[in-house]
Amino acid sequence: MSRKPKIDKTANLIGQLVRRRRTEAGLTQKELAERLGLGYITMISQIENEYVAVPPALWTKISKALNFEGSEFVTLCLWEYQPEIYRALFGDLGKAEVDEVLGRLGHRLH
């Protein structure tokens, strides 16, 4: 039985980040899956082990469950998984400039 090939470096970065934040929070994969409303841990394992990208529907849930600052995780996912959309929104802005733009948007939305 052959294993599914790992996806590109993008998932590696995000998978490692999810694993690190989860373990720093003292959560098991099962506990994180429960916080995300998943009935199984397979998705968490596949994300952490670089077999799947984080589905967009989980970006904000993971961000909240693992206590990322503001939209940090969502922005990283957008930059890694959807670079065309990221560039359309932010062009060549650096992290601090993107944070500023997102902060302004957040104030307008509330």
Side-chain angles (χ1 to χ4, degrees):
M1 182 170 143
S2 66
R3 291 187 60 132
K4 185 176 175 182
K6 293 186 178 188
I7 60 176
D8 63 22
K9 292 180 188 176
T10 296
N12 184 26
L13 170 68
I14 293 178
Q16 289 177 14
L17 181 59
V18 168
R19 174 179 282 134
R20 189 179 82 231
R21 294 295 288 258
R22 177 184 59 77
T23 57
E24 287 173 355
L27 297 172
T28 64
Q29 288 180 343
K30 182 178 187 224
E31 290 167 332
L32 179 56
E34 289 170 354
R35 286 188 182 194
L36 300 176
L38 303 173
Y40 48 88
I41 66 166
T42 309
M43 177 64 75
I44 304 304
S45 176
Q46 289 177 340
I47 290 168
E48 290 182 356
N49 289 300
E50 309 161 30
Y51 290 106
V52 298
V54 179
L58 293 180
W59 293 359
T60 56
K61 290 180 179 183
I62 289 175
S63 182
K64 290 175 184 175
L66 297 179
N67 298 314
F68 282 92
E69 239 180 80
S71 56
E72 175 185 22
F73 184 74
V74 173
T75 304
L76 175 63
C77 287
L78 186 62
W79 179 68
E80 292 285 355
Y81 298 137
Q82 301 290 331
E84 299 85 10
I85 295 172
Y86 181 92
R87 280 192 300 278
L89 291 170
F90 305 114
D92 294 326
L93 297 178
K95 182 187 178 322
E97 295 163 315
V98 169
D99 289 344
E100 182 181 328
V101 168
L102 293 173
R104 286 194 310 260
L105 284 173
H107 289 294
R108 288 183 191 154
L109 296 175
H110 294 294

